[in-house]
Amino acid sequence: MSSILNGNKHSAAGTRVPTDLLPTAIRYEAARAVIFEQQGNFVRANDCLRLKRYYERRAMEECLDPGPT
């Protein structure tokens, strides 16, 4: 796995995660959302779920196998 992040600290949210780490980021944000919901912090839970959906869309777009040509 790569520890190199894309972009810099001023990059848009969700764009710093490398493509090969998207599945890990999706699981991480889902777990964070559950924890925040259990703590009653629904605003942060929704932020985590929003970021998770963004990562899922990126994974679908970037990880598609073009198939044989």
Side-chain angles (χ1 to χ4, degrees), residues 14 17-34 48-61 63:
V17 176
T19 303
D20 60 331
L21 293 179
L22 283 173
T24 303
I26 291 167
R27 287 191 305 271
Y28 177 76
E29 291 300 332
R32 287 182 68 214
V34 169
C48 292
L49 292 174
R50 178 189 50 79
L51 201 51
K52 177 182 158 261
R53 285 190 302 271
Y54 179 79
Y55 289 149
E56 289 171 339
R57 279 195 307 273
R58 267 191 60 200
M60 287 189 335
E61 293 170 359
C63 299

